[in-house]
Amino acid sequence: MAQGPTITTIAKRAGVSIASVSRVLNGLPTRQDTVSKVMAAAEELGYVRNAVARSLKSSRTHQVAFAMADVGNPAYLAMLREIQPVLKAAGYRLVLHSTGADVADEIGVLHSLGERYVDGLIMVPLRVTDAHLRMLAAARAPVVVIGSVPEGTPVDNVRADSRTGVRLALDHLHALGRRRVGLVNGPPDTVPGAARGAGYVEALAALGLPYDKELVEIGDFYRADGRRAVAALLDRRPDIDALMCANDLIALGALDVLRAAGRRVPQDVAVVGMDDTDLAAASWPSLTSVSLGSAERGRAAAELLLDRLEDGDVAPRLVTVPPRLEVRASTAGEQAPPTGDADRPGADGAGA
C-alpha cells in the first residue's frame, strides 16, 4: 500500500518548513499565507481534509500564564502591573504561577502548555537548566523568557543588564570615596546571582580595586537572608565602608542590621540596592538603587508574546533594557544628585 502524505511531503509541496506545516496542522499561530499554502498542498496530496480542519478549529483560550519565583517580590509586581493591562487590552486574561524558583515546578508549567490551558507563557526563571532548554525548544505554545538564556534558544527573550548596573553602582560609590565595597549576593547558580557577581568583579578591576573574597557574602534574595548575610559580613570585615546588594530586599535587610549596630548610613556605610522597587524610595533612609527596568521588561514581554501569537513564523527576538542608577539618601545623604544612567561607552547589553 502506498504511503499517504506526510508532514515532510506537504512541506515540500507547499514550499515551507516542516515546522510551519506542524504549526498549521496543530492550530498554532501562523501567517495566513502559510496556512493557505499548507492547506492547498494537503488537499492536492490527498491529506485527510477533516483532520486538518479539526486541527485548525482548535479555539484559543484567551488566557496567558505568567510564571515567576515569588509573587510577593516587588520587582515581579512591577512586571505584573505592566503585563496585565497590555494583555487585557488585547482580550487576554492572565493566569499567575508563583513557582518558588523550584525548577521542577517551572518544568511542570512548561510541560502543561501541551494541555492548551493557555495560549502563551511569560516566565522569569532564576535558574536556566538543560531541562528548561529542552522544554523551551519543545514548547507547544509561544513562550517569552524574562532573563538571560543561551544564544540560539528558540524563544523571544527580554533581559536586563545587571552587570552594567553593578558597574554604575560601584562607579558611584568610588566617586564618593568608598574603597572597601562589599557584595551581598544571591545564589551564584542563579541567572541574576551569576550576572551580579561577574559585574562586581569586572567593576572592581575597571576601578583598579583588588578583589577580596572576604568582602563577598552569599545569601538569598530575601530581606531575612540579607540581614543574616550582612551581619556575617560586618563580623568578618567591620572596616567595610559600602555595600552593593543584589536586590532591594537584601539592601533593606542591610539597613536593618546597620541601624541595630549603630552604623550610620551613609556616613559610616553607604548602601546600594538593585531593582529600584517601590520599597527603595519608601525606606529610611531612602535607598539608592539600580533600576533594571522591571516595568519596561514586563511590558516588552507582553508585547513580544502578542506579536508571536499573531505571527508564529517570525524569528525569535531579543530586547535588552538598559539599567539606570537612582541616587538617594543611602549613599548621598539627604541631598541626592541627579540620576545617572547607562548611556556611556561599554554598556553592551549582556547579562541579566
Side-chain angles (χ1 to χ4, degrees):
M1 179 181 293
Q3 184 181 10
T6 65
I7 287 179
T8 301
T9 57
I10 293 172
K12 288 180 179 178
R13 177 64 64 90
V16 300
S17 69
I18 294 173
S20 292
V21 174
S22 178
R23 279 195 293 271
V24 171
L25 298 184
N26 284 289
L28 296 176
T30 313
R31 284 200 305 262
Q32 187 55 49
D33 63 332
T34 301
V35 173
S36 299
K37 290 177 182 177
V38 170
M39 290 291 293
E43 187 168 352
E44 290 171 11
L45 292 170
Y47 192 88
V48 180
R49 174 70 186 182
N50 61 354
V52 176
R54 279 199 303 272
S55 294
L56 293 176
K57 286 180 180 177
S58 298
S59 60
R60 289 188 178 181
T61 66
H62 295 286
Q63 294 190 151
V64 167
F66 177 41
M68 82 301 290
D70 176 13
V71 73
N73 185 310
Y76 299 133
L77 291 176
M79 293 179 187
L80 177 59
R81 284 196 293 265
E82 293 295 323
I83 292 170
Q84 197 274 339
V86 171
L87 294 177
K88 183 178 180 181
Y92 288 88
R93 294 178 296 270
L94 194 61
V95 178
L96 300 182
H97 293 278
S98 188
T99 66
D102 181 73
V103 170
D105 197 350
E106 292 169 350
I107 297 303
V109 171
L110 286 167
H111 186 267
S112 68
L113 292 176
E115 300 170 8
R116 305 298 296 273
Y117 79 105
V118 292
D119 298 325
L121 168 67
I122 299 170
M123 71 182 311
V124 197
L126 286 186
R127 295 171 177 84
V128 177
T129 66
D130 289 342
H132 282 94
L133 297 177
R134 287 193 297 271
M135 292 301 297
L136 287 169
R140 295 295 304 275
V143 180
V144 178
V145 173
I146 301 178
S148 294
V149 293
E151 186 175 351
T153 304
V155 294
D156 296 307
N157 182 208
V158 181
R159 60 179 66 174
D161 181 6
S162 57
R163 292 169 77 143
T164 296
V166 173
R167 175 65 187 274
L168 291 174
L170 264 67
D171 284 352
H172 170 64
L173 292 169
H174 190 268
L176 294 173
R178 311 294 172 144
R179 298 296 182 268
R180 296 178 298 282
V181 181
L183 172 68
V184 189
N185 201 4
D189 65 334
T190 63
V191 172
R196 292 163 205 193
Y200 174 76
V201 173
E202 292 167 2
L204 290 177
L207 293 167
L209 297 176
Y211 173 79
D212 183 349
K213 65 180 181 180
E214 288 196 345
L215 292 174
V216 177
E217 189 68 28
I218 304 300
D220 210 334
F221 296 106
Y222 298 95
R223 186 169 186 164
D225 292 280
R227 292 192 193 103
R228 288 190 288 269
V230 172
L233 186 53
L234 288 177
D235 284 344
R236 186 168 65 244
R237 289 297 300 265
D239 61 330
I240 204 163
D241 63 7
L243 288 171
M244 175 70 237
C245 300
N247 73 359
D248 287 350
L249 294 176
I250 293 174
L252 293 177
L255 293 178
D256 295 338
V257 171
L258 292 168
R259 190 178 302 116
R263 306 288 289 272
R264 299 170 300 163
V265 176
Q267 295 91 333
D268 300 325
V269 182
V271 179
V272 180
M274 184 164 274
D275 284 331
D276 193 36
T277 62
D278 292 343
L279 297 175
S283 71
W284 184 82
S286 59
L287 179 65
T288 293
S289 185
V290 177
S291 171
L292 296 176
S294 295
E296 293 95 325
R297 284 183 286 153
R299 183 168 56 254
E303 291 170 349
L304 284 176
L305 184 61
L306 290 177
D307 288 347
R308 178 67 56 188
L309 288 166
E310 181 67 24
D311 183 355
D313 284 339
V314 296
R317 289 184 289 173
L318 168 65
V319 174
T320 301
V321 176
R324 42 180 207 280
L325 181 67
E326 301 291 346
V327 178
R328 300 189 180 93
S330 68
T331 60
E334 293 305 317
Q335 299 300 319
T339 296
D341 59 31
D343 293 332
R344 60 171 180 81
D348 61 4

